[in-house]
Amino acid sequence: MEQKIVELLAAGDERGIELMAEHYEKLIRYIAVTILGNRETSVEECINDVYLKMWKHGAEYDYQKASFRTYLKAITRNTALNYLRKLRRLEELEGMDESDTIQSEYIDYSQNVEQQMIFQEEVDALNRVLGMLRKKDKELVLRRFYYLQSTRQIAEAMDMSENAVDSKLSRLRKKIRKCYEKEVAR
């Protein structure tokens, strides 16, 4: 099914989007709602943007790097986080005066090449640390910090109590921090 979707997208056939929506709409919506909450308009815009991105870039998908489902989840998560950032920026701008607004539009800290290189090294170190975790521990961390799921959602999905989830996440944060500091120091 995944290969068929990618082939249709690569051929510019709209049935690729229809097929993707048929099989993955619930997953896409779940991730968007988890990150954006009850902002229904933003959730719908996010979902539409995911489809648009897949329409434009679905043919670039590489089976060697990840499963199609994983690729789609990453696209959805990143799109939802971008919407969330935009919403927060708008909320912040409501409290600013005109000069603050003008400044914030012209300052782009992401253009600092040195900062980008440091960030990439930190991401690589974190990926190595996460790769050392047991499968269930990694799932807990990803659900909480990557998909931004609540303790309750994680507990239900992983058949654990909320206290067990909080306790395990607390221990994992300490373990990850310790291993991460060692990795970065290398």
Side-chain angles (χ1 to χ4, degrees):
M1 181 58 56
E2 293 177 349
Q3 188 170 355
K4 180 71 171 169
I5 292 171
V6 174
E7 288 172 2
L8 289 169
L9 292 174
D13 190 330
E14 290 181 18
R15 290 181 298 168
I17 293 294
E18 293 169 6
L19 201 55
M20 186 173 60
E22 184 180 313
H23 286 87
Y24 296 106
E25 172 88 22
K26 287 181 182 177
L27 174 66
I28 294 168
R29 181 171 299 280
Y30 177 77
I31 293 169
V33 168
T34 299
I35 294 172
L36 295 170
N38 59 359
R39 299 173 177 104
E40 190 57 36
T41 303
S42 295
V43 168
E44 292 304 321
E45 288 176 5
C46 175
I47 292 169
N48 289 334
D49 273 3
V50 168
Y51 289 138
L52 181 62
K53 287 177 182 180
M54 293 304 294
W55 175 253
K56 289 182 175 180
H57 306 288
E60 298 169 11
Y61 164 68
D62 182 0
Y63 285 101
Q64 304 297 321
K65 293 183 179 178
S67 72
F68 181 78
R69 182 180 173 94
T70 300
Y71 179 73
L72 184 59
K73 289 189 317 189
I75 297 289
T76 304
R77 176 192 176 273
N78 292 338
T79 304
L81 287 173
N82 287 338
Y83 266 89
L84 187 61
R85 284 186 202 105
K86 184 168 54 169
L87 289 169
R88 287 186 178 155
R89 254 186 268 128
L90 289 173
E91 291 167 0
E92 287 174 10
L93 291 178
E94 289 175 358
M96 292 181 164
D97 65 18
E98 191 173 321
S99 65
D100 291 335
T101 305
I102 292 169
Q103 267 185 327
S104 70
E105 290 180 13
Y106 287 101
I107 298 173
D108 184 3
Y109 297 102
S110 67
Q111 297 303 314
N112 184 329
V113 175
E114 183 180 338
Q115 283 301 109
Q116 288 177 349
M117 289 176 62
I118 291 169
F119 178 74
Q120 187 58 49
E121 289 173 6
E122 291 172 348
V123 168
D124 291 343
L126 185 57
N127 281 332
R128 287 190 301 272
V129 170
L130 291 176
M132 291 184 239
L133 295 177
R134 293 188 348 239
K135 186 176 180 178
K136 188 172 182 177
D137 293 346
K138 186 175 181 178
E139 181 179 354
L140 269 169
V141 170
L142 290 176
R143 282 180 178 274
R144 182 67 187 115
F145 301 108
Y146 188 78
Y147 294 112
L148 306 176
Q149 292 181 344
S150 68
T151 301
R152 173 174 285 140
Q153 289 172 316
I154 296 169
E156 289 172 5
M158 296 186 70
D159 197 28
M160 298 171 69
S161 71
E162 289 182 43
N163 286 338
V165 169
D166 286 336
S167 175
K168 186 70 171 174
L169 282 171
S170 176
R171 287 192 305 272
L172 283 169
R173 271 192 299 268
K174 290 175 187 171
K175 178 180 180 179
I176 290 169
R177 183 177 296 121
K178 185 177 178 181
C179 292
Y180 174 77
E181 288 169 358
K182 287 179 184 177
E183 282 291 321
V184 171
R186 286 184 177 186

